Amino acid sequence: MEDILVLMSATLVEGVLVGLTEFGFALAAMPLYRLLVPRIYALVVAQSLQIAAAPVDIVQKSWHIDCMALALLFGGALVGAPIVKLCATRLPPDPMQIATAVLS
């Protein structure tokens, strides 16, 4: 029960951080969540919270959207995601972790 309270408190702190900076929810969430739950659960919780907040952000920030830049990003993701998925499923974990660290 106290783990849930700590996770809720961490989420509140991260929400305030994002509200002030408009950036960094996952950067703050993952280390705090990882202290209490396994990595995959921390990832699922952080990603679910970001997906739940996305519609509000889209409505509030819709007049700031650069449609050309968004189209380029979407095109790059459409091409790059299958390549990254193929590499992630075919290569051993150690080289993938090194590549992720170098490219990040």
Side-chain angles (χ1 to χ4, degrees):
M1 180 67 177
E2 67 255 0
D3 287 350
I4 291 176
L5 292 175
V6 173
L7 286 173
M8 288 172 56
S9 300
T11 303
L12 178 65
V13 169
E14 291 142 18
V16 170
L17 173 72
V18 171
L20 293 173
T21 64
E22 296 186 8
F23 175 76
F25 180 80
L27 291 173
M30 286 302 292
L32 294 172
Y33 290 171
R34 279 287 293 128
L35 293 173
L36 299 170
V37 295
R39 182 182 321 157
I40 190 69
Y41 296 133
L43 178 67
V44 168
V45 169
Q47 191 63 35
S48 298
L49 290 171
Q50 286 189 302
I51 289 170
V56 174
D57 288 342
I58 289 171
V59 170
Q60 289 178 346
K61 310 273 189 301
S62 62
W63 57 282
H64 285 295
I65 294 174
D66 180 358
C67 292
M68 186 61 175
L70 185 62
L72 289 171
L73 285 169
F74 181 74
L78 199 60
V79 171
I83 295 169
V84 171
K85 182 183 181 291
L86 182 68
C87 291
T89 56
R90 303 278 187 226
L91 296 175
D94 290 336
M96 283 302 296
Q97 287 178 345
I98 293 169
T100 302
V102 168
L103 295 174
S104 293

